[in-house]
Amino acid sequence: MAVTRRSGLPGKTREGGEGGGGESAGKRGGGRFDWAGLGADVRAAGPDAGIALVVTGAIFVWLYVRIDNGSSATLQVMPMLADADKYWMYWLCQAFGWSGLLWAWITIVFSLLRTGPRPRVRWLPPAGLEKLHRTTSLTTIALMFMHAVMFFLEEVRGNEGGATWPGRLWDAFLKVFVPGGYTTGTGRIAILVGLLAFYLAIPLGLAYYLRQRTGSRMWRALHRFIIVVYVLSVWHTLLYGTNVWYDGTFRTLVWALQMPIAAMLLLRLLAPARPSERLRLRGPGRSRPLPLTARVGGRLAVVATVAGLAAVVATGVDGGRTPDGASPGLWPEQWVIWAGLLALTLALVAVVHHLRPSAVAGAGSGGAAERRRAEEAAAGGAG
């Protein structure tokens, strides 16, 4: 049975499931952005954000002490950063980056627990998982923003040769916030990847609050692309995190922590909470050829990912650089990343076109739509 709770708008309820308050809410709400719901979730995220700041502070202290006593691997990469007091903004930037990645990991776990095989524990009901996913998502976006802001401030401080303050600010803004603006070294790829993760996280992460306009099916479909944001975030870290620059235990640990995510994603694809997403190879409700091929392909891709992660962890060959040795060439080039972004954009446009409310309404007449609604009700509104 679907769990309901009151939203911030008078006379409305929001279902505990991710698809809650979909098309019917849109009719009542006039297609507005759910500012009341966002405000409620921001307030609910307060304790979570407080914990994130404490964790960020602890990471900062750890990084600072390791730099101060000379034990950080970062000094092998950039020995000019040995003055911990002078470069404290850079270390705070690194601390926000690590806590942001940790919170991204946590919110993805909550999402996969919510939409896959559900844990049978009373203290972690579906509605509670969904709320935790929303609040940790907001905290993650805030941590990503602070990561970028501290890097911007460090770039402003470090640009001591700038002729004017406006010139220093513009140069830092171009490097830190404009995709492709950082044009030297590993940063020309790593910072581009990180910025794409940040800028994609905002619309995909906040798509829930547009469900009144888009309908529940569209926002759920768009929100599933959030896994791309997480992959880009991990890639950015492995490329540019000076603490994981070289081969070693800590870098391998970062790879190992992706195994639970990949395994949970595979379970979610094999046994989704929503019946309409399950593979049907025969019978009256069997999947059509194109969706069936896409779903089977997705499952096989995740199986290959799990196997690849296991191989990386077992062998320790994780793409890191070797101290005092030849480093692999930087790949891919920027054009490959832009091509990938174009492909993702086309996929998002196709989803929006296919699941726009008018198209869904047109296809909603008939027995198939009735069966789908019955299945979704039986699933308890799972996303």
Side-chain angles (χ1 to χ4, degrees):
M1 180 181 296
V3 180
T4 61
R5 65 181 178 86
R6 294 184 62 84
S7 74
L9 299 178
K12 297 184 180 180
T13 59
R14 188 188 307 164
E15 292 186 13
E18 289 185 354
E23 288 83 358
S24 60
K27 293 176 182 178
R28 293 193 302 270
R32 295 188 300 272
F33 186 89
D34 187 7
W35 290 106
L38 176 60
D41 286 340
V42 168
R43 291 189 293 273
D48 175 71
I51 295 172
L53 287 177
V54 171
V55 171
T56 302
I59 296 173
F60 171 73
V61 171
W62 178 70
L63 293 172
Y64 184 95
V65 169
R66 283 174 57 82
I67 286 294
D68 199 45
N69 63 26
S71 62
S72 174
T74 299
L75 297 180
Q76 294 178 270
V77 184
M78 293 183 289
M80 76 289 293
L81 298 180
D83 189 340
D85 292 327
K86 180 178 181 180
Y87 294 99
W88 68 269
M89 285 189 288
Y90 178 82
W91 301 117
L92 188 54
C93 163
Q94 292 283 296
F96 274 116
W98 282 111
S99 61
L101 185 63
L102 174 61
W103 251 253
W105 190 92
I106 291 170
T107 195
I108 290 292
V109 167
F110 284 142
S111 175
L112 293 173
L113 286 174
R114 176 67 180 92
T115 59
R118 296 175 181 172
R120 299 180 179 276
V121 288
R122 290 186 177 182
W123 53 270
L124 207 59
L129 280 171
E130 183 206 347
K131 184 175 181 180
L132 286 171
H133 172 55
R134 291 202 309 273
T135 54
T136 52
S137 293
L138 294 174
T139 301
T140 301
I141 293 174
L143 292 171
M144 294 172 76
F145 176 70
M146 290 305 302
H147 175 56
V149 166
M150 294 311 302
F151 187 44
F152 169 79
L153 294 176
E154 172 57 30
E155 283 291 315
V156 172
R157 186 208 63 77
N159 188 12
E160 296 172 351
T164 62
W165 268 102
R168 294 169 68 172
L169 292 170
W170 173 249
D171 183 66
F173 177 81
L174 189 66
K175 289 181 177 179
V176 177
F177 289 107
V178 177
Y182 201 101
T183 58
T184 60
T186 306
R188 64 189 176 87
I189 301 298
I191 292 179
L192 171 61
V193 169
L195 281 176
L196 293 181
F198 176 55
Y199 290 138
L200 286 170
I202 296 172
L204 296 178
L206 301 182
Y208 172 81
Y209 305 101
L210 276 170
R211 69 199 183 283
Q212 295 178 358
R213 176 181 295 276
T214 65
S216 60
R217 291 186 64 197
M218 184 190 293
W219 91 257
R220 282 197 307 270
L222 291 174
H223 190 65
R224 288 180 190 124
F225 284 92
I226 204 71
I227 194 68
V228 175
V229 172
Y230 180 73
V231 171
L232 291 174
S233 299
V234 175
W235 188 11
H236 167 77
T237 301
L238 292 172
L239 275 175
Y240 217 44
T242 53
N243 304 97
V244 291
W245 191 271
Y246 295 118
D247 285 323
T249 303
F250 191 46
R251 183 180 176 92
T252 302
L253 176 62
V254 173
W255 280 99
L257 287 173
Q258 311 319 312
M259 288 190 67
I261 297 289
M264 292 176 67
L265 178 59
L266 181 60
L267 288 175
R268 186 253 184 269
L269 293 174
L270 293 176
R274 188 176 293 275
S276 61
E277 296 177 4
R278 297 169 189 168
L279 288 178
R280 290 182 174 84
L281 303 179
R282 57 178 61 88
R286 65 181 180 275
S287 303
R288 291 175 294 175
L290 184 58
L292 177 63
T293 302
R295 289 180 178 182
V296 171
R299 286 154 175 78
L300 292 176
V302 176
V303 169
T305 300
V306 173
L309 287 171
V312 166
V313 174
T315 63
V317 180
D318 53 18
R321 299 157 179 85
T322 303
D324 303 321
S327 298
L330 190 60
W331 190 90
E333 293 295 331
Q334 282 195 355
W335 72 265
V336 177
I337 298 173
W338 288 118
L341 178 63
L342 176 61
L344 176 63
T345 302
L346 292 175
L348 292 170
V349 169
V351 167
V352 170
H353 178 74
H354 179 65
L355 296 179
R356 65 192 188 281
S358 59
V360 172
S365 57
E370 293 296 329
R371 284 195 301 272
R372 185 173 62 250
R373 282 194 290 268
E375 288 173 349
E376 293 183 356

